[in-house]
Amino acid sequence: MELKEGFIICSDSFKEKILRETHSIQNYIFLTPSEFKKRITFRLKKSAVFKLMKHYGFSYSISQEYEKALERIEDKTYNHPKLDSIVSVYRYLKQENLVEEDPLFLIRLRQFPVTFIDPEHSKEYEALHRLTASYTEVYEVEPVKSSYVPVVYEFKTALEECLYVMNQVKELLRLGISLNHIYLANCDEDYIFLFRRLGKAFGIPIQFDAYKNISSAEIVQQFLKMCEIEDSFSKIIQGLDSNNALFSVLIDILNEYELEKESPKECLDFLKAILKKRRFPQKKYEQAVCLVKDTMLFSEEDYVFYVGCNLGSTPRTFKEDGFLNDKDLALLGQTTSLEQNELAYQRVKKWFLSTPHLTITYKLFNHKEMVLPAPLLEDLGMKPLMDVAISYGYAQQEDELRLVGLYDLYLKYGQWHKDLEAYGIGTASYKSFNHSYKPIEASILKDHFDKKPLRLAYSNVKLYFACPFSYYADRILGLNEFKPQMAARMGTFAHAVLEDSYAPDFNFDTSASKHQKENALDGKDAFFFQQMVKVLRNLIEFNQEHERNSQLNQFQQETHIEVTKEDYTFEGYIDKLMYTIENGEVYAAIVDYKTGADIVSLDNIEDGFHLQLPSYMYLLSKYEAFKGLKLHIIGIYLQKVNIVIFDTKSDIEVQMSKKFMLEGYSVANPTLLKKLDPTYEKSTYIKSLGMGKDGFLRYSKIFLEHQQDEIISMVDQLLDQASDHIHKGEFKIAPKKINEKNVSCMFCKYKDLCFYEYEDLVELTYKPFGKAGEQNGMD
């Protein structure tokens, strides 16, 4: 196809076709019709949609509707409420310098002709044509009038349509036709889903548009979560992994929409909408079957398969469902939905008769519902070929699926099919299912960890040891979609106030008010946050009372510790570190605030269970500030920070104090314990701690001094083991069973994915912690 050099106004699909087929250097400037219209008139800055949301309180979708409507109006008074409201929005955007005009483009336009490829002769196009003609020469390339007669095939289902098309593509390739001259047209989401599957089964590359949005990626979830709690985007960016491939995408979004100085929390709804539209890059093939819109121009070298030629999709129907209705459009002198439908009908009709090597297919059933062929086929006198046989021998997997399906119908309903007699089911699997994890190729894993080195924290190590497959689903596949919940916000609120409480100028009311505003989203939140305020006020008083009597009089909050090894990094945050340094020795206790329920136990730690508190011991042993000093860990504890219902018959303060007591394990050394808690013999500070005349009481949760190093060494080995197995791609479905109880699947988010069987369960021996204490005369 010979085109004049200059501006070529066409679809992206046609642009790709021309670029593939043009071997000499041509001075072509490609623009879509929408892009061209914006360049010749005006375009809105990307930040305009957010400014509309912020200024008018619009939702993202309403702001988009206004943007679309702005393209259809002029800056004048219409004496029409809706149209004048749109004009006022336009004037606001212009006042804010969000409307861009391009006078340099108009100068350049005078230097080159403009060629419209297969334009749709709507009122909008005719107006654009006249405007363009006032600047330069205008040409049109339309389908050549001819009387091609496409072949039409009828099938029962979309799957049969797609199987037939793929068989025909295979035949074309056998005849030497290039993949770049084979096209699939009119594919909706159902057809695209089928062609994705069949493309792999037939070994045929098909160039699909990018379809998976990035909002489920771990760094994006982290970004959105931080938007809820941080007060500036600069802080958020500093907290993200700059080596992540999506880091630059997030930076680009902030720059494109000019959000750098905005409040992250105010931008959250907007960012969620934008990120849902951003796609992971799609692989580009040099040679591939292409998906196109149904009215693109083709040549004699091209072969086109038009699928789903059914009522409602051929032609695509337009409804009066936009911001501007048909009366508004008529008032503006623009094409109404009725006129648009007539244009679409005539356009497809002309295209059917001017496209060489066109094959049309339609289905009779869509998800068990009967559907009708497009009336256009009958209007053109096109008779379909029915009962078309779909050949075997092009894709073994699909052949076996078809034959097994026919065999299933025979067994259930006695429906015998001639294909069963001709082919049988051979070696095809029937009524068999292999649910087991299929290992990832070593090269893919290596590439993954080269780009994103392994970082471990307690939460994902816990996942791995509970069941490797849950780690795979959560961290490798990234199925842990971020869902901001009130419980998480309340936890953030509580941690922030407790951290502030150790500042020298701490004021409870000021701190609570500030962090509540940052985390409570609505009135419902506010009620529960007020209950938490009461809890925190009493908890801080409880802590201060006991800490005044403790010799561990130095405090650190949110202490971040990283341990970097050859193949991985392990990191964690210690909520509160209480310590003192005497004669070159560190005496320390670790406290982790916990909003919610958690089991305080060290049972089965050698199997990777209950590693939270031991992992803090491990991190503290690697703390750079204590390097070279002998470390005595006096205790590892959780402190519950929850709203509770009290028994009004008993003293509320006594009940509350019991709820605030530290829960965890203490060193079995009275001299050391006294430094932390002078009341340790009948502790009012640490739950499950007390002494009798014969030593520690049986219910006391204790560890021996020499066990400190043993626990730290055990954590070190378990982390190395987890890293080694993760790098090797060992993600088997292997939930653990202890004392006849499946401890891995109870709260697993991914149990509906794995279909585990009884044989997959790994039975572990119950290994209670602390029996060594009894052998040392402790009771």
Side-chain angles (χ1 to χ4, degrees):
M1 183 182 298
E2 291 294 329
L3 296 173
K4 291 185 177 293
E5 293 188 334
F7 290 97
I8 309 297
I9 314 305
C10 62
S11 66
D12 287 329
S13 299
F14 188 80
K15 170 187 171 182
E16 291 292 330
K17 175 178 171 61
I18 294 299
L19 292 176
R20 282 200 308 269
E21 296 175 1
T22 302
H23 303 293
S24 59
I25 297 175
Q26 301 286 342
N27 188 15
Y28 292 148
I29 307 144
F30 290 98
L31 292 170
T32 65
S34 175
E35 290 169 342
F36 179 71
K37 183 182 178 184
K38 290 175 182 177
R39 296 290 292 275
I40 202 172
T41 55
F42 70 88
R43 58 184 172 185
L44 301 178
K45 288 185 179 180
K46 284 195 171 184
S47 56
V49 65
F50 174 72
K51 296 296 184 183
L52 291 179
M53 292 175 67
K54 184 177 179 181
H55 182 74
Y56 292 102
F58 293 157
S59 67
Y60 178 74
S61 59
I62 293 295
S63 295
Q64 280 192 308
E65 287 294 334
Y66 266 96
E67 281 201 326
K68 292 176 186 175
L70 288 171
E71 297 176 8
R72 294 179 173 271
I73 57 94
E74 298 177 40
D75 186 2
K76 67 179 186 180
T77 301
Y78 287 93
N79 293 318
H80 183 283
K82 185 192 294 185
L83 299 182
D84 288 336
S85 73
I86 298 171
V87 173
S88 71
V89 169
Y90 170 83
R91 289 172 179 169
Y92 162 72
L93 293 176
K94 194 160 187 178
Q95 176 186 321
E96 295 296 314
N97 296 317
L98 296 168
V99 177
E100 293 183 316
E101 295 176 350
D102 193 348
L104 293 178
F105 178 79
L106 298 179
I107 294 172
R108 195 177 181 200
L109 187 62
R110 297 180 187 278
Q111 300 170 354
F112 299 99
V114 173
T115 302
F116 290 96
I117 305 296
D118 191 19
E120 183 178 64
H121 291 279
S122 62
K123 292 175 182 176
E124 290 82 359
Y125 168 71
E126 298 301 338
L128 182 61
H129 185 286
R130 289 193 296 272
L131 179 60
T132 308
S134 68
Y135 291 99
T136 188
E137 292 181 279
V138 178
Y139 299 92
E140 294 177 345
V141 175
E142 306 243 23
V144 178
K145 291 184 179 180
S146 58
S147 56
Y148 290 110
V149 180
V151 185
V152 182
Y153 295 97
E154 176 185 282
F155 295 97
K156 287 184 179 178
T157 65
L159 176 58
E160 290 183 3
E161 279 184 87
C162 295
L163 283 168
Y164 177 80
V165 168
M166 295 304 286
N167 284 350
Q168 296 306 302
V169 171
K170 276 285 192 180
E171 280 299 306
L172 290 174
L173 297 178
R174 188 178 64 81
L175 294 172
I177 305 300
S178 167
L179 281 165
N180 286 341
H181 285 292
I182 303 174
Y183 296 87
L184 304 176
N186 200 43
C187 296
D188 62 15
E189 289 184 3
D190 289 340
Y191 284 101
I192 289 174
F193 176 82
L194 289 169
F195 279 124
R196 282 186 189 279
R197 178 186 117 192
L198 296 177
K200 295 175 183 177
F202 280 75
I204 296 174
I206 303 175
Q207 191 65 66
F208 297 102
D209 291 333
Y211 72 104
K212 185 180 179 184
N213 70 57
I214 66 172
S215 58
S216 62
E218 185 176 354
I219 189 173
V220 175
Q221 294 178 27
Q222 182 186 1
F223 172 75
L224 292 174
K225 186 174 182 179
M226 292 174 75
C227 284
E228 289 201 327
I229 58 178
E230 296 291 356
D231 58 6
S232 73
F233 281 112
S234 60
K235 289 183 182 178
I236 294 173
I237 294 304
Q238 289 171 12
L240 298 177
D241 179 9
S242 60
N243 294 318
N244 190 292
L246 294 178
F247 179 81
S248 61
V249 175
L250 296 174
I251 297 293
D252 289 344
I253 288 173
L254 297 180
N255 291 333
E256 284 173 16
Y257 295 97
E258 301 176 17
L259 302 177
E260 300 93 334
K261 297 180 181 179
E262 301 289 344
S263 164
K265 199 168 185 177
E266 290 182 6
C267 299
L268 195 56
D269 289 341
F270 173 72
L271 287 168
K272 287 178 182 177
I274 291 296
L275 288 164
K276 283 181 181 178
K277 298 173 73 173
R278 290 292 171 113
R279 302 289 187 260
F280 284 102
Q282 184 76 7
K283 181 179 179 180
K284 285 282 187 182
Y285 298 101
E286 290 185 10
Q287 293 273 326
V289 174
C290 292
L291 272 68
V292 297
K293 294 182 179 179
D294 56 6
T295 55
M296 196 173 98
L297 294 185
F298 296 99
S299 66
E300 287 285 352
E301 295 178 302
D302 300 322
Y303 292 79
V304 186
F305 295 92
Y306 185 98
V307 298
C309 187
N310 288 91
L311 177 65
S313 65
T314 304
R316 181 169 66 90
T317 54
F318 296 86
K319 299 178 182 178
E320 189 187 50
D321 58 0
F323 189 66
L324 296 174
N325 58 34
D326 281 348
K327 288 183 179 179
D328 300 328
L329 294 172
L331 184 62
L332 291 168
Q334 296 180 10
T335 310
T336 65
S337 61
L338 290 174
E339 294 168 335
Q340 194 72 35
N341 285 328
E342 179 59 26
L343 283 171
Y345 182 89
Q346 297 300 331
R347 185 178 179 81
V348 175
K349 181 178 179 180
K350 182 172 68 172
W351 184 79
F352 274 5
L353 298 177
S354 60
T355 302
H357 309 307
L358 174 62
T359 299
I360 300 173
T361 64
Y362 66 86
K363 56 187 176 292
L364 296 176
F365 294 93
N366 184 28
H367 306 299
K368 297 184 179 180
E369 291 185 3
M370 181 174 279
V371 289
L372 298 172
L376 178 60
L377 296 176
E378 186 175 349
D379 291 352
L380 292 173
M382 295 180 180
K383 300 294 183 183
L385 296 174
M386 305 177 186
D387 300 320
V388 180
I390 302 171
S391 302
Y392 292 84
Y394 293 101
Q396 181 181 351
Q397 182 179 343
E398 292 299 324
D399 289 348
E400 290 179 349
L401 279 171
R402 290 169 60 195
L403 291 167
V404 164
L406 295 174
Y407 185 59
D408 199 49
L409 288 174
Y410 168 68
L411 291 181
K412 290 179 179 176
Y413 307 109
Q415 298 177 8
W416 182 254
H417 195 284
K418 58 183 176 58
D419 289 351
L420 288 173
E421 188 171 344
Y423 302 103
I425 62 171
T427 59
S429 299
Y430 181 69
K431 287 192 174 180
S432 64
F433 176 73
N434 183 2
H435 73 284
S436 61
Y437 162 73
K438 308 297 185 298
I440 302 174
E441 289 182 25
S443 60
I444 295 175
L445 270 174
K446 184 178 182 305
D447 183 59
H448 173 80
F449 288 118
D450 283 347
K451 292 178 180 175
K452 185 179 179 182
L454 180 62
R455 294 184 71 87
L456 296 175
Y458 158 71
S459 58
N460 47 44
V461 173
K462 174 185 176 183
L463 268 179
Y464 187 82
F465 283 113
C467 177
F469 185 79
S470 64
Y471 176 92
Y472 171 69
D474 196 272
R475 301 293 165 162
I476 303 297
L477 297 183
L479 301 179
N480 55 339
E481 183 180 359
F482 171 65
K483 294 181 179 178
Q485 298 175 346
M486 186 178 71
R489 296 195 301 275
M490 196 174 292
T492 302
F493 165 67
H495 276 70
V497 175
L498 287 167
E499 183 178 352
D500 287 354
S501 69
Y502 291 90
D505 57 348
F506 172 67
N507 179 282
F508 180 85
D509 293 327
T510 303
S511 175
S513 176
K514 173 192 171 187
H515 295 299
Q516 184 173 337
K517 285 178 183 177
E518 293 172 352
N519 292 282
L521 302 182
D522 51 34
K524 178 183 175 183
D525 279 9
F527 170 79
F528 289 103
F529 273 72
Q530 280 304 112
Q531 304 307 307
M532 180 60 83
V533 166
K534 297 176 185 177
V535 172
L536 290 171
R537 188 186 297 275
N538 287 285
L539 174 58
I540 290 170
E541 289 177 3
F542 174 87
N543 285 343
Q544 289 174 343
E545 178 185 344
H546 285 85
E547 287 163 5
R548 276 194 293 268
N549 300 319
S550 174
Q551 295 177 42
L552 307 188
N553 51 16
Q554 297 188 58
F555 303 94
Q556 288 186 14
Q557 290 75 48
E558 292 293 320
T559 304
H560 180 228
I561 304 174
E562 278 194 7
V563 180
T564 302
K565 292 203 172 186
E566 183 179 350
D567 294 326
Y568 70 96
T569 298
F570 182 69
E571 66 175 335
Y573 288 84
I574 297 175
D575 287 342
K576 179 166 72 176
L577 176 61
M578 307 168 61
Y579 70 98
T580 187
I581 299 176
E582 299 175 0
N583 302 318
E585 298 188 10
V586 179
Y587 301 88
I590 296 166
V591 179
D592 185 67
Y593 302 127
K594 183 61 63 176
T595 51
D598 210 337
I599 299 171
V600 180
S601 172
L602 294 182
D603 298 343
N604 285 84
I605 58 171
E606 50 266 77
D607 296 311
F609 285 85
H610 307 124
L611 281 181
Q612 182 174 15
L613 295 176
S615 69
Y616 292 138
M617 295 178 75
Y618 171 76
L619 287 169
L620 193 58
S621 73
K622 307 294 183 182
Y623 189 29
E624 190 67 26
F626 295 164
K627 189 174 181 180
L629 303 178
K630 182 173 177 59
L631 176 64
H632 302 276
I633 298 178
I634 297 174
I636 46 177
Y637 308 104
L638 300 180
Q639 188 169 44
K640 302 290 181 67
V641 189
N642 292 315
I643 299 171
V644 292
I645 299 173
F646 297 106
D647 181 0
T648 54
K649 296 178 182 178
S650 305
D651 189 294
I652 301 292
E653 289 189 11
V654 172
Q655 292 180 67
M656 191 174 287
S657 293
K658 286 183 178 179
K659 294 291 183 184
F660 295 153
M661 291 176 75
L662 305 183
E663 298 181 44
Y665 286 79
S666 308
V667 67
N669 182 322
T671 304
L672 295 181
L673 269 176
K674 192 174 183 180
K675 291 180 180 294
L676 169 64
D677 178 19
T679 72
Y680 72 93
E681 293 184 66
K682 292 183 179 179
S683 183
T684 58
Y685 189 30
I686 303 167
K687 190 176 287 188
S688 301
L689 181 63
M691 292 194 73
K693 61 181 180 179
D694 297 321
F696 286 94
L697 299 174
R698 182 174 292 278
Y699 61 74
S700 297
K701 291 182 179 290
I702 54 174
F703 62 88
L704 304 178
E705 283 186 83
H706 70 82
Q707 286 181 297
Q708 171 183 312
D709 292 335
E710 292 174 4
I711 292 170
I712 290 169
S713 177
M714 189 181 298
V715 173
D716 196 16
Q717 292 171 25
L718 287 167
L719 293 176
D720 287 347
Q721 179 185 329
S723 170
D724 181 57
H725 291 180
I726 291 168
H727 278 97
K728 289 178 178 176
E730 296 180 9
F731 304 120
K732 289 183 179 179
I733 297 170
K736 308 304 186 299
K737 185 178 180 182
I738 303 175
N739 275 352
E740 299 302 315
K741 187 176 183 180
N742 183 337
V743 295
S744 299
C745 298
M746 287 188 293
F747 304 109
C748 179
K749 295 184 291 184
Y750 307 109
K751 58 187 177 184
D752 292 335
L753 299 179
C754 70
F755 304 103
Y756 83 89
E757 296 178 357
Y758 180 78
E759 292 78 12
D760 299 317
L761 281 168
V762 177
E763 189 154 2
L764 299 176
T765 305
Y766 174 54
K767 300 161 189 162
F769 179 82
K771 294 299 181 184
E774 296 176 4
Q775 298 167 9
N776 285 270
M778 297 178 187
D779 190 26

